[in-house]
Amino acid sequence: MSLKEIVNMDLKYILVGGKGGVGKTSVASTLAIALAEAGKRVLIISTDPAHSISDSFDKDFSKGEITKVKGVVGDLFALEINPAAAGDEISKSIGQPIGTDQFSQFAAIPGLGELQQGLGQDLQSIPPPGMDEALSFAKILEYAEDEIYDTVVLDTAPTGHTLRLLNIPEFLDSFLGRMLKMKTFLSNAMTMMKSLFGGGQEKDRTVETLEAMKEKVLVARDKLMDPEQTQFVKVLIPTMMSIFETERLVEELDQHLIPHKFAVVNQINPPNDQCSYCMHRNKEHRKNIKYIKSAFPDTIITEIEALDSEIRGLKMLQVFKEKLL
Ligand SMILES: Nc1ncnc2c1ncn2[C@@H]1O[C@H](COP(=O)(O)OP(=O)(O)OP(=O)(O)O)[C@@H](O)[C@H]1O
Ligand SMILES: [Mg+2]
């Protein structure tokens, strides 16, 4: 069995992840091309503000809209989401900002310090860190739920950030809880202020919106746990640093019940007896690959050598694809 299987598995989601710079975007782009060539309608999404899918395909997908990838056989579409822009868009759609502005009004309220102490939580950072990511993940789910695409390939940010997204329901629960407590506390003050300044009866839909978002993420998380629908492809390089990070990643994936049957060991130094550096690196890499195989016995491992040039543009992606699949 090899990574080739993934093309015929009829998966709805393929997530590609690993340490920074190991080859996630190259693998994600290549898989997306292979799936499209196999007749699937594919959407590749990245939330990397550095716009790496554009670089990988050597095209511009940075406008924040779904763009058909020209030059690929079949139906491949790409989207680069800018987390900040996604937040703005969602805020617009619910008619009010879910940003720092909205919460800054609370900061000036007398007694917030007491409330903070009372709740025993750090309310200094409202919205809490991760809100941007939560919003862009919600955006991704919107596209992923779309029946238009057979498979959604997600080029994830380096390890850590991705899995944080899976905690969004719990994160929102605690966030919602805190908001509700705050609302109760503030309601008296608000009523008083309104009677003083004659403010209108504006309906605050933030909590409802966050509730809806949480439901969405819970539904998506179920899909992400289903091996018939989802696979997380671990990408690593044969260095101990990358292996340790992958071990941590596997722990987290298991904890969240995300299926991860495949791994790509990328950038292996080929042997070359004319070059002592290459021989040394190759020996080290072979030893580490042995370790990888014993550390991840249930994983289908695909090994790929370091090519002599960068993987950029459709031509190079095809070369990489021949090796990968
Ligand atoms: N097997 C390989 N041979 C040669 N170059 C490679 C190989 N794999 C990846 N590269 C190159 O290494 C660089 C990093 O690859 P890529 O952008 O795919 O990694 P990434 O994991 O997505 O990085 P980031 O964490 O920054 O998003 C790119 O320039 C890519 O072309
Ligand atoms: Mg990348």
Side-chain angles (χ1 to χ4, degrees), residues 28-83:
S29 306
T30 306
L31 284 175
I33 292 173
L35 286 156
E37 286 175 348
K40 304 247 193 297
R41 212 175 155 82
V42 184
L43 175 64
I44 178 167
I45 306 182
S46 146
T47 53
D48 188 349
H51 294 155
S52 52
I53 314 185
S54 290
D55 292 341
S56 178
F57 284 97
D58 198 16
K59 295 180 189 296
D60 184 10
F61 306 123
S62 62
K63 290 180 206 80
E65 30 185 81
I66 295 177
T67 311
K68 185 155 188 338
V69 184
K70 287 194 199 122
V72 171
V73 178
D75 290 327
L76 176 58
F77 298 83
L79 173 69
E80 281 174 338
I81 296 177
N82 179 337

Side-chain angles (χ1 to χ4, degrees), residues 186-227:
L186 293 173
S187 64
N188 291 341
M190 285 299 193
T191 313
M192 197 181 81
M193 271 157 72
K194 274 185 189 142
S195 69
L196 278 175
F197 301 112
Q201 208 59 26
E202 273 172 48
K203 194 166 172 1
D204 181 1
R205 288 169 49 219
T206 311
V207 173
E208 284 162 48
T209 307
L210 292 177
E211 258 322 336
M213 189 199 290
K214 192 188 108 188
E215 283 312 312
K216 242 186 191 179
V217 178
L218 281 174
V219 169
R221 202 158 66 171
D222 275 350
K223 291 184 191 167
L224 291 177
M225 289 173 184
D226 177 1

Side-chain angles (χ1 to χ4, degrees), residues 92-118:
K92 234 181 265 162
S93 75
I94 61 163
Q96 63 176 309
I98 315 183
T100 322
D101 287 357
Q102 189 193 7
F103 294 95
S104 61
Q105 62 180 311
F106 293 130
I109 305 222
L112 189 64
E114 275 165 48
L115 176 73
Q116 214 169 305
Q117 273 181 349

Side-chain angles (χ1 to χ4, degrees), residues 119-185:
L119 294 176
Q121 301 215 23
D122 182 14
L123 291 177
Q124 299 287 7
S125 56
I126 294 176
M131 204 58 194
D132 268 4
E133 277 176 66
L135 292 172
S136 60
F137 192 54
K139 191 87 195 130
I140 290 169
L141 297 181
E142 228 168 79
Y143 290 114
E145 267 173 27
D146 229 326
E147 292 300 320
I148 300 171
Y149 304 101
D150 299 311
T151 309
V152 175
V153 177
L154 187 61
D155 175 25
T156 74
T159 333
H161 300 286
T162 314
L163 296 169
R164 242 190 15 224
L165 300 175
L166 303 171
N167 290 326
I168 285 171
E170 288 73 24
F171 161 75
L172 284 179
D173 263 350
S174 70
F175 180 62
L176 284 174
R178 279 190 278 165
M179 278 206 30
L180 287 169
K181 277 182 199 164
M182 262 204 343
K183 278 185 107 118
T184 317
F185 173 85

Side-chain angles (χ1 to χ4, degrees), residues 20-26 48 158 266-267 305-307 309-311 320:
V22 292
K24 297 178 294 297
T25 303
S26 305
D48 188 349
N266 191 21
Q267 300 182 26
E305 288 186 347
L307 307 184
S309 63
E310 207 181 2
I311 302 150
F320 192 62

